[in-house]
Amino acid sequence: MPLKEQDVVDAIEKWLNANGFSEVNAIKAGARGYDIAAKCVETSQRWLIEAKGGAYSGADSSNDAWSRTGAAFLMTAGWRFQKDIPGERFAIGIPSSRWFDIHLGRISPALEYLGISVFQVDDDGKVNFTENRHRPE
């Protein structure tokens, strides 16, 4: 059963605080705004992260995972090209489950190309981070 959005946000916030990020600001699931905004101490880059969780029913269905993964991708890809946005780095945060992993695999080449990193959160709250950096052509 995939984690709910708030569980994903909480796990990523904890990971960021433990891995050299400052000014970590996470909002409650369902509130409007950037789910997580943080600043990397090492690079001073501002990060914006869009988090999605599993279905409220607790089911791990392909359709639910597909729509949530796609929504996270759409939001961050839009931020990536929006002028005057308060971030230089972008990421999505999603649960790690059979269907989320399958749908993430389908968009991984686009995430790599656009430089959108990924936080995947296991059921036990462990965060797996994949860094993708945009490579100008």
Side-chain angles (χ1 to χ4, degrees):
M1 177 170 19
L3 299 172
K4 301 285 190 278
E5 183 173 323
Q6 190 62 54
D7 298 320
V8 172
V9 168
D10 292 345
I12 295 171
E13 180 181 20
K14 183 178 176 181
W15 187 94
L16 291 168
N17 283 318
N19 284 279
F21 284 77
S22 64
E23 303 172 27
V24 179
N25 182 23
I27 63 174
K28 291 288 181 198
R32 295 185 62 77
Y34 307 114
D35 290 331
I36 304 169
K39 186 175 184 179
C40 181
V41 173
E42 185 179 312
T43 65
S44 296
Q45 290 179 326
R46 295 168 299 175
W47 283 66
L48 298 177
I49 303 164
E50 178 66 16
K52 295 295 179 198
Y56 290 106
S57 69
D60 185 16
S61 74
S62 178
N63 285 343
D64 289 327
W66 177 79
S67 65
R68 286 170 169 75
T69 303
F73 174 74
L74 177 65
M75 184 66 72
T76 54
W79 293 342
R80 173 79 177 66
F81 295 100
Q82 188 175 333
K83 295 186 186 311
D84 301 323
I85 200 152
E88 293 91 21
R89 297 290 308 277
F90 306 96
I92 64 171
I94 58 173
S96 182
S97 74
R98 176 178 183 246
W99 289 111
F100 275 95
D101 295 350
I102 288 169
H103 295 302
L104 178 63
R106 291 178 175 159
I107 63 169
S108 286
L111 292 167
E112 290 173 25
Y113 179 79
L114 294 173
I116 298 171
S117 297
V118 179
F119 293 89
Q120 285 181 275
V121 183
D122 294 338
D123 287 343
D124 64 0
K126 180 179 177 255
V127 175
N128 298 301
F129 176 65
T130 302
E131 184 166 21
N132 292 317
R133 292 186 175 269
H134 177 67
R135 292 179 280 273
E137 297 185 32

